[in-house]
Amino acid sequence: MTLLIEVQERPLDPGYQLVADRRRAGEAAPRGRAGAAALTVLAVLLGLGVTSATVALRRPTEDLAATRRLLEEQITTRTESAATLATQLTDLSTEIASLQNQALASDDPELLAALNRDAVSAGTSAVTGTGLRVVLSDASTTDPDTQDPNERVQDFDLQVLANGLWAAGAEAVAINGVRLTATSAIRTAGSAVHVDLVPLSSPYTVEAIGDPADLQTRLAQSSAGTHLASLRSMYRIGVQLKSVQDLELPGSGQVTLRYASVPPGTDLGVLEAPTADESSPEPTAPAQSAPSTDEAALGATTREHL
């Protein structure tokens, strides 16, 4: 207890206290020029040492710089390779479609006509016509790094809009030139929104083929229209609607063919179809339809205050 009182009442060492008292009383010897110069030199050396250490710590080592250069080169090379493969895929898909049309034109014209009709709804062929263009853009900001994520267009917003357009009677829909099909996925990855694995960024242009006036009216009356109005008023997200008389939406290319095979050694007897007298229900193919806007209403709570 005595030690605590001593520390509280006399925190300075007696020697330091004596020097301090002499300085206050003017009894301490003035500091000479040599002492002042020594202190100045010492301060400069300390400052240079601290500066040198800071620069050395902030400067990347040669190994890190080489690794960064290697990664940049790999990113550039693989991006160019992916673009080349995408071009080859488009060319091959066009060639396959041309050969298929040539073969069916002479062998089975009815099948060719059915395929051409179904290609529009499947999204594999390009379409043109009148329609509606909706542009969603992130809220304006001076510092994108600190922007509230709710002020950016999210994958859910594009899902709600696409479903709303399908429900309003759209015949074909595309986002930034990427055609939507029955198997299209809209997902967020980092700061970008991916549509069928294609990274997109703001602004997002959603185009739909159909009667412009009817599409706009039915979209405004749906839950998707309410969602768009909330984005505009609560999060300052840009929402622009415009009727277009000459929309051109690209096709998604050839549909990927999938098949199944029987593993070796399997007893084929168990795979025989049931006879007519067996009372097994007939399998029915699932209908391919666009999700209803009720899903948009249920999912609208993912954003705050919506």
Side-chain angles (χ1 to χ4, degrees):
M1 191 67 180
T2 305
L3 179 60
L4 294 177
I5 295 175
E6 183 75 17
V7 172
Q8 183 177 0
E9 294 181 352
R10 289 180 291 276
L12 286 179
D13 184 87
Y16 289 105
Q17 185 67 50
L18 179 60
V19 174
D21 293 339
R22 286 181 177 179
R23 285 186 178 178
R24 281 196 295 267
E27 299 175 359
R31 182 176 297 164
R33 292 183 178 180
L39 287 177
T40 303
V41 172
L42 179 60
V44 171
L45 292 177
L46 289 175
L48 291 176
V50 172
T51 303
S52 176
T54 303
V55 171
L57 289 175
R58 294 179 63 89
R59 181 185 303 160
T61 63
E62 190 63 27
D63 293 340
L64 290 178
T67 302
R68 179 177 297 177
R69 288 194 298 268
L70 178 60
L71 290 176
E72 291 175 351
E73 292 175 358
Q74 290 181 352
I75 291 173
T76 302
T77 302
R78 294 184 181 181
T79 300
E80 294 175 353
S81 177
T84 302
L85 292 175
T87 302
Q88 294 179 359
L89 177 62
T90 302
D91 295 340
L92 291 175
S93 298
T94 303
E95 183 179 356
I96 291 173
S98 177
L99 293 174
Q100 175 180 280
N101 291 338
Q102 293 177 8
L104 293 178
S106 57
D107 296 342
D108 198 340
E110 294 182 0
L111 178 57
L112 177 60
L115 289 176
N116 290 334
R117 289 193 303 269
D118 296 338
V120 175
S121 57
T124 57
S125 63
V127 292
T128 59
T130 60
L132 185 66
R133 176 179 294 153
V134 184
V135 180
L136 301 182
S137 55
D138 297 341
S140 59
T141 180
T142 57
D143 188 2
D145 295 333
T146 60
Q147 186 178 19
D148 184 357
N150 285 328
E151 294 182 348
R152 298 177 181 175
V153 180
Q154 302 176 5
D155 54 355
F156 176 73
D157 304 324
L158 296 176
Q159 294 170 10
V160 170
L161 177 56
N163 287 342
L165 290 171
W166 287 122
E171 300 176 14
V173 179
I175 302 178
N176 283 21
V178 180
R179 182 75 172 274
L180 298 185
T181 66
T183 59
S184 295
I186 304 175
R187 294 289 183 268
T188 294
S191 59
V193 175
H194 285 210
V195 178
D196 280 348
L197 303 181
V198 179
L200 307 178
S201 58
S202 177
Y204 301 93
T205 302
V206 184
E207 297 175 327
I209 295 290
D211 181 76
D214 189 43
L215 284 176
Q216 189 166 354
T217 301
R218 298 181 64 180
L219 180 65
Q221 295 173 347
S222 66
S223 58
T226 304
H227 185 80
L228 295 179
S230 300
L231 293 180
R232 178 187 297 167
S233 60
M234 299 175 62
Y235 300 104
R236 302 184 298 109
I237 290 178
V239 180
Q240 300 177 356
L241 287 83
K242 181 182 179 181
S243 299
V244 183
Q245 298 300 319
D246 53 352
L247 278 180
E248 296 183 7
L249 304 188
S252 62
Q254 289 295 112
V255 178
T256 302
L257 300 179
R258 296 178 174 85
Y259 64 92
S261 59
V262 180
T266 303
D267 184 6
L268 297 181
V270 301
L271 300 178
E272 293 181 357
T275 58
D277 57 347
E278 293 181 357
S279 58
S280 58
E282 267 191 358
T284 56
Q288 294 183 353
S289 58
S292 66
T293 52
D294 292 338
E295 297 177 2
L298 292 176
T301 55
T302 57
R303 273 184 184 271
E304 294 180 0
H305 308 108
L306 279 187

